[in-house]
Amino acid sequence: MGLKDLLNAGSDGTHGDATSMVSMDARPNEPWVTTKLDFLVNWGRANSLWPMPFGTACCAIEFMASAASNYDLARFGMERMAFSPRQSDVLICAGRVPFKLAPVLRRIWQQMPQPKWAISMGACASTGGMFDTYAVVQGIDTIIPIDVYVPGCPPRPEGLIYGIMMLQKKVMNERMNGTSREEMEPDPKSKLYIPSSRIDELSEPFGNSVHQTRSAP
Amino acid sequence: MRAEKFTVISAGHGGGDTPATPRNVPHKGGDANPTAAALQARFGSTIARVDVINGETTVIVDRDKVHDIVQWLHDEPTQSYEYLSDVTAVEHRDAQRPIEIVWHLRSIKFRRFIRLKALIVKGSALSICSIWDIYKGADWLERECYDMFGIQFTGHPDLRRILMWEQFKEGHPLRKDFPLRGRFSRSQQLENALAANPEARYSMEELSIVDAYEELPLDMRRRLLGGEKTGE
Ligand code: SF4
């Protein structure tokens, strides 16, 4: 999104006509512009997303490749990896998350200031992947709200970049006064972002962990 | 200078008395590690059996005598097993077969490897003597074995879980009766995990700043002493 688009933004965005506004503007020869505040703010946010990399496994290696010079995330305004959650906008969870790490991930998410977004990178972060075991969280969308899921094992850098561009589109469509910017609240009782009954239902087709008998002698 | 003055030094295979890499090793049988015979001579009937598999010697020993045997292997100058490479356990799917506790010992001096096994019959107490007082390196290995199999190592200074978190209530994951996905439902597991306080897991001993404790600011000292029990 270049400045040229900004100048032509939306139907209300008009170029200033210096001659008709001369009484309001002390410097009549300088150009000026009107635009929607929503648009301007979103434009700024979408093009300077600072990622908080939460790399726990092999996907993180691919994430590093995306950030390195060949694919160069800096082109998308991700100039700076924020290794402090307090100075970041988008959490990129790259890799599987064991239950031991779940409270850590939750705390890091809570430490990030608003506005914030999250990308779940790879099959493991999104669904648990092939690690359907006692130790791995089956999809981190149960513990933090996710905006974009990137499929793949691991996703290629192009895949991650596509996910980031989708997130930028999502950011561009947010409204100050609408409901789109409100943070999803977890269920007050279970503290999960997906209802408990739904989580158990999703793990059912292969046998719920309570009922499955795969390891019976 | 005459050529005879030089001794050829060859690293690894082939040269002088350095042992060569064994070739064409039979799957079963073959020469046992000389330590096995020495053990039988020294401990007699407490050595139940000696197997040689793929050229590696496994000695099955009495579970009550493990500590004495390991101590002897470590101290005896003709054996000199100065390196403990692993402590682990094996449970077989056959419910009748006993659980095996396995120790891998290595003698760097004599370039020997020996595997000790003790059998614990199912139904008897899952406990065995710790060898932490002989090899300090056994500390984490025994903790892992306890975490995964629930084997109590008597005499271990600090036997608690090492891989799973301390509030893990589902049992010991490598046991054969442990369901692959754990004992609780997925949502229950998540709720249990999120209730844990990530900072409460670290003890003073695990923080490397323990030596600098006196120089830390007062509030930090107070926090460390309290074990960071926030929110639990
Ligand atoms: S999705 Fe594949 S590459 Fe990514 S963490 Fe899982 S196993 Fe590794």
Side-chain angles (χ1 to χ4, degrees):
Chain A
M1 182 78 48
L3 196 60
K4 211 164 168 198
D5 301 317
L6 176 66
L7 290 168
N8 296 323
S11 53
D12 333 290
T14 49
H15 292 276
D17 180 0
T19 48
S20 64
M21 303 295 281
V22 71
S23 58
M24 289 169 67
D25 196 332
R27 291 159 293 172
N29 293 326
E30 285 177 20
W32 56 279
V33 65
T34 60
T35 181
K36 284 189 281 193
L37 183 61
D38 264 350
F39 178 85
L40 190 65
V41 168
N42 288 341
W43 176 78
R45 283 175 179 172
N47 292 291
S48 68
L49 290 169
W50 281 1
M52 156 83 214
F54 191 81
T56 52
C58 12
C59 270
I61 305 291
E62 207 65 9
F63 175 76
M64 290 176 218
S66 324
S69 51
N70 216 18
Y71 289 94
D72 196 11
L73 277 189
R75 291 179 293 159
F76 301 89
M78 298 184 148
E79 198 66 66
R80 175 182 176 280
M81 294 293 146
F83 289 96
S84 152
R86 306 232 186 248
Q87 294 156 12
S88 60
D89 305 302
V90 48
L91 187 144
I92 300 184
C93 180
R96 63 197 86 102
V97 177
F99 286 118
K100 197 173 179 176
L101 210 53
V104 179
L105 178 60
R106 167 65 71 86
R107 174 139 341 158
I108 285 176
W109 175 252
Q110 286 167 346
Q111 282 173 343
M112 286 170 62
Q114 285 279 20
K116 56 187 172 183
W117 299 272
I119 294 179
S120 160
M121 178 180 178
C124 287
S126 309
T127 67
M130 61 178 144
F131 303 96
D132 189 5
T133 69
Y134 60 91
V136 177
V137 175
Q138 302 296 300
I140 57 165
D141 48 3
T142 49
I143 43 181
I144 60 173
I146 297 294
D147 294 287
V148 178
Y149 302 83
V150 183
C153 177
R156 282 192 55 85
E158 291 95 325
L160 180 63
I161 289 171
Y162 183 62
I164 288 166
M165 286 164 66
M166 279 173 71
L167 182 66
Q168 287 183 325
K169 257 184 215 150
K170 180 172 178 175
V171 174
M172 285 306 295
N173 285 328
E174 283 171 356
R175 292 287 168 267
M176 289 282 172
N177 55 1
T179 50
S180 59
R181 190 51 264 157
E182 277 169 24
E183 199 196 337
M184 230 172 113
E185 287 297 328
D187 176 47
K189 200 172 135 279
S190 67
K191 302 274 190 293
L192 301 175
Y193 283 89
I194 296 184
S196 305
S197 56
R198 191 75 50 77
I199 294 173
D200 289 339
E201 202 180 313
L202 286 172
S203 65
E204 198 63 63
F206 310 103
N208 179 288
S209 58
V210 177
H211 303 122
Q212 61 108 7
T213 52
R214 241 186 278 169
S215 79
Chain B
M1 202 183 284
R2 299 214 326 268
E4 296 93 274
K5 290 220 167 168
F6 293 100
T7 351
V8 180
I9 299 169
S10 62
H13 336 289
D17 50 2
T18 48
T21 304
R23 291 178 198 286
N24 301 323
V25 180
H27 172 53
K28 269 207 161 94
D31 297 337
N33 181 336
T35 304
L39 276 174
Q40 274 167 329
R42 174 81 172 67
F43 290 96
S45 64
T46 51
I47 308 296
R49 206 170 77 222
V50 176
D51 292 337
V52 183
I53 295 172
N54 291 328
E56 292 175 351
T57 308
T58 304
V59 182
I60 310 221
V61 302
D62 185 344
R63 61 181 278 194
D64 299 325
K65 287 285 179 308
V66 171
H67 192 272
D68 296 346
I69 291 171
V70 173
Q71 183 85 60
W72 184 75
L73 287 173
H74 178 261
D75 294 343
E76 173 66 31
T78 58
Q79 303 304 330
S80 177
Y81 281 87
E82 59 275 87
Y83 178 57
L84 171 79
S85 59
D86 204 2
V87 179
T88 183
V90 182
E91 185 180 12
H92 294 275
R93 219 180 164 83
D94 179 353
Q96 309 305 321
R97 279 181 75 173
I99 294 179
E100 299 167 356
I101 322 279
V102 187
W103 294 265
H104 288 178
L105 300 178
R106 230 168 240 289
S107 160
I108 295 169
K109 190 168 164 201
F110 296 110
R111 303 194 185 200
R112 285 180 192 157
F113 168 80
I114 197 162
R115 181 184 296 125
L116 302 182
K117 278 188 182 178
L119 308 184
I120 297 188
V121 178
K122 289 262 178 81
S124 67
L126 267 184
S127 84
I128 195 117
C129 199
S130 166
I131 54 166
W132 174 80
D133 53 341
I134 307 170
Y135 300 100
K136 289 289 179 280
D139 185 349
W140 282 15
L141 300 173
E142 288 178 355
R143 273 177 69 185
E144 184 186 355
C145 196
Y146 160 73
D147 189 0
M148 291 288 130
F149 291 92
I151 291 155
Q152 301 286 337
F153 288 87
T154 49
H156 188 285
D158 180 28
L159 196 66
R160 55 199 168 95
R161 289 186 183 276
I162 187 168
L163 295 175
M164 308 308 289
W165 54 105
E166 262 160 74
Q167 298 92 337
F168 184 69
K169 292 278 185 294
E170 301 179 46
H172 301 283
L174 286 190
R175 295 298 304 275
K176 283 285 182 260
D177 60 0
F178 187 90
L180 180 61
R181 294 175 172 191
R183 294 189 198 281
F184 300 153
S185 72
R186 284 298 185 204
S187 57
Q188 189 65 46
Q189 286 174 332
L190 273 168
E191 282 170 40
N192 290 352
L194 287 181
N197 172 15
E199 274 151 37
R201 289 204 199 96
Y202 300 99
S203 61
M204 267 300 277
E205 290 72 35
E206 273 168 305
L207 295 169
S208 54
I209 52 172
V210 70
D211 291 335
Y213 181 70
E214 294 304 324
E215 290 133 52
L216 291 175
L218 196 61
D219 64 321
M220 202 183 230
R221 266 188 276 174
R222 214 176 288 134
R223 260 191 322 138
L224 287 172
L225 271 186
E228 292 259 4
K229 291 262 187 288
T230 46
E232 226 181 336

